Amino acid sequence: MFNSLRFKILVFQLFLLLLVALSLGVFSYFFMAVYLKEVQEEIQNYIVKHVAIDIRNSLSNRCITFERVTLSQEFKSYHENSRDRALIEDFTKYKVQLPELSYVNKEGREEIKVINGKQSEEYSDYGNSSFFKDAIAAPNKVIISSEEFSQELGVPVIRFALAKYSYFGDKFIGLCLGTVPLPDICDIKKTKIGKNGFICVINQEGKILSSSYKNSKLLSNIATEGEKAKQLITNATALKSGFSRATILGVDSFISYYPVKGRKWVVIAALPYKEFMVAPNTLINISFGIFLFIFFIGLYLSIILGNNIANPLSKLSEIANAVAMGDLSQKVNIKSSKEIKLLGDAFNKIIDNSKGIVKQAKQVAQGQYIVGIKPRSKNDSLSLALIQMTKALGARLILRAYIS
């Protein structure tokens, strides 16, 4: 069975099908994965860049708003007339962009404090804080503090400080202190990365300032696993941009990162690797289904093709064996491809020629020495030998009759 022509044709056809299907599957999977990775890189790089721009613009807008507070008449005149109500009402106007505003005297103590539009009686002393000293040292200039957690607002914040002096710089008007929640500045919850992707903002120390990932803890170091992740965070905190695969916050992801100009912050966008692989894996499943379909169609066609070749040849083999045993009653009747039909016709010619030789031999046996066959070619040894024998016997018969 395994040495039969039918089996060999079937195996060869199936081998070709397997080779073509596997080659197409492997190459299509590889090129699709590469292409999708390049597309995903472009998408994530675009997202982190524009999120970084939005954060910078949000910070700039709040800084402009904060400067506008210090230019109000209520703020400028407070150190002279101490009109608390007027300044509180003025601070309340900015509760959306600046949820916490304070008037700080030259010693660093708060005198007026408004949180979310309401006056607070819990005052703080910033006399020894670095941003207060920096603001006093740089009159009429906005100083932005480092990130810290605000007990009043319950979220990480940054503070704007501006020490207002008179036009000639010889008279202290007051120091305005504005506090802004980092989630308000880094508004990233509306930006989507796939279904399960996330965006976070970290500072140069690797601490999370804002994040759309549910399990992340603000102002804690971003969790990394492996050397690739550590190298990625090293590059990010060096205020570089890039794209790579790494595991952060416990999720194996494709990660893009981009710095926020003007601040030592970095925007990170991550798409889980499992989610990315959904499309290539779907391709594998589709390819496998197509492969099975082609395989069974190919198997069916291979069986038909094998039968169309092997069955006529088997029939020819049976007829040839019968002819070899002397049975000249056989007749080849094959309706197949041109080549096999020609082979069958050739068999029929052999049988017909053999019948002619047998007929000639019977005539000789009956004493009839008339040549009734013609050689088919110069190489038809059997016919030529029979003709020669017939002629020789006929000549002897004539000679014997003449002598007698």
Side-chain angles (χ1 to χ4, degrees):
M1 174 183 176
F2 296 108
N3 291 325
S4 66
L5 179 61
R6 183 185 289 105
F7 179 77
K8 291 179 179 179
I9 292 174
L10 180 62
V11 170
F12 179 72
Q13 293 290 332
L14 293 180
F15 172 76
L16 288 180
L17 284 173
L18 287 172
L19 181 63
V20 172
L22 289 175
S23 299
L24 289 176
V26 170
F27 282 109
S28 60
Y29 174 82
F30 173 76
F31 285 115
M32 182 178 183
V34 171
Y35 172 74
L36 289 178
K37 181 181 177 182
E38 292 176 352
V39 172
Q40 188 62 36
E41 180 177 356
E42 291 181 4
I43 292 173
Q44 288 188 212
N45 287 342
Y46 175 85
I47 290 174
V48 292
K49 181 178 180 180
H50 281 77
V51 169
I53 292 173
D54 290 343
I55 291 174
R56 183 186 65 184
N57 291 339
S58 177
L59 191 64
S60 177
N61 290 337
R62 281 173 169 76
C63 187
I64 292 171
T65 301
F66 178 71
E67 288 183 305
R68 191 181 302 128
V69 174
T70 63
L71 295 175
S72 68
Q73 188 61 39
E74 289 82 359
F75 182 83
K76 290 180 180 180
S77 60
Y78 175 77
H79 73 288
E80 295 178 348
N81 54 35
S82 299
R83 294 179 59 187
D84 295 3
R85 180 53 51 191
L87 186 56
I88 291 172
E89 290 178 357
D90 188 59
F91 280 175
T92 303
K93 297 177 185 177
Y94 303 98
K95 64 180 180 180
V96 175
Q97 287 191 303
L98 299 167
E100 183 179 326
L101 279 169
S102 303
Y103 177 91
V104 181
N105 60 31
K106 198 170 185 179
E107 286 72 34
R109 292 188 297 272
E110 287 181 321
E111 294 186 7
I112 292 180
K113 189 174 188 178
V114 175
I115 300 176
N116 293 321
K118 297 181 179 180
Q119 184 180 7
S120 173
E121 299 294 337
E122 297 181 3
Y123 300 119
S124 301
D125 188 345
Y126 296 104
N128 294 322
S129 65
S130 59
F131 70 86
F132 175 80
K133 294 177 180 179
D134 293 339
I136 294 296
N140 301 322
K141 181 180 179 181
V142 177
I143 301 298
I144 302 177
S145 72
S146 58
E147 307 81 21
E148 61 181 271
F149 188 83
S150 171
Q151 296 295 336
E152 292 87 352
L153 298 178
V155 291
V157 298
I158 58 171
R159 302 185 190 276
F160 298 101
L162 189 149
K164 192 70 176 178
Y165 280 79
S166 63
Y167 180 79
F168 296 102
D170 57 346
K171 188 177 181 181
F172 178 78
I173 296 175
L175 185 142
C176 187
L177 182 65
T179 304
V180 182
L182 284 173
D184 290 354
I185 297 175
C186 309
D187 187 11
I188 56 179
K189 292 184 179 180
K190 295 180 181 179
T191 305
K192 301 295 183 181
I193 305 290
K195 293 182 179 180
N196 302 305
F198 57 90
I199 299 177
C200 59
V201 182
I202 63 173
N203 62 14
Q204 204 168 20
E205 297 174 355
K207 296 184 181 298
I208 301 173
L209 306 181
S210 181
S211 177
S212 61
Y213 186 61
K214 58 183 180 180
N215 294 329
S216 57
K217 184 178 180 181
L218 300 184
L219 289 184
S220 63
N221 290 324
I222 188 166
T224 60
E225 295 180 18
E227 291 299 323
K228 288 185 178 180
K230 292 179 180 178
Q231 184 61 46
L232 183 147
I233 297 301
T234 299
N235 293 336
T237 53
L239 304 182
K240 298 178 181 179
S241 60
F243 177 88
S244 66
R245 179 184 172 186
T247 301
I248 62 171
L249 298 175
V251 182
D252 181 14
S253 310
F254 281 124
I255 301 168
S256 292
Y257 48 96
Y258 195 87
V260 178
K261 292 184 178 180
R263 296 294 297 176
K264 295 179 180 180
W265 298 348
V266 180
V267 179
I268 294 176
L271 178 74
Y273 183 72
K274 287 184 179 179
E275 182 176 336
F276 171 80
M277 290 302 296
V278 168
N281 289 338
T282 301
L283 174 65
I284 290 178
N285 295 333
I286 294 174
S287 299
F288 183 71
I290 294 173
F291 165 73
L292 288 179
F293 176 77
I294 294 175
F295 177 80
F296 287 113
I297 293 296
L299 179 62
Y300 174 73
L301 294 177
S302 297
I303 292 173
I304 293 177
L305 177 62
N307 289 335
N308 287 341
I309 295 175
N311 289 344
L313 292 179
S314 297
K315 184 65 177 176
L316 284 175
S317 177
E318 292 176 3
I319 294 174
N321 288 329
V323 171
M325 298 300 293
D327 183 6
L328 298 180
S329 64
Q330 300 292 325
K331 183 71 175 178
V332 178
N333 186 16
I334 295 177
K335 295 180 180 180
S336 184
S337 62
K338 181 179 179 181
E339 291 78 6
I340 297 179
K341 188 176 185 304
L342 291 174
L343 181 60
D345 293 341
F347 264 85
N348 285 331
K349 289 181 180 179
I350 293 173
I351 294 171
D352 292 341
N353 185 63
S354 298
K355 288 180 179 180
I357 293 173
V358 169
K359 182 180 180 181
Q360 181 67 38
K362 286 181 178 181
Q363 290 176 350
V364 171
Q366 295 172 359
Q368 299 178 14
Y369 299 106
I370 300 172
V371 177
I373 61 172
K374 294 181 180 180
R376 290 163 295 178
S377 68
K378 295 180 180 181
N379 298 322
D380 190 358
S381 301
L382 183 58
S383 296
L384 290 172
L386 184 57
I387 292 171
Q388 186 178 1
M389 183 187 72
T390 302
K391 289 180 178 180
L393 290 174
R396 287 183 182 182
L397 182 62
I398 294 172
L399 180 61
R400 186 181 297 175
Y402 177 79
I403 294 175
S404 61

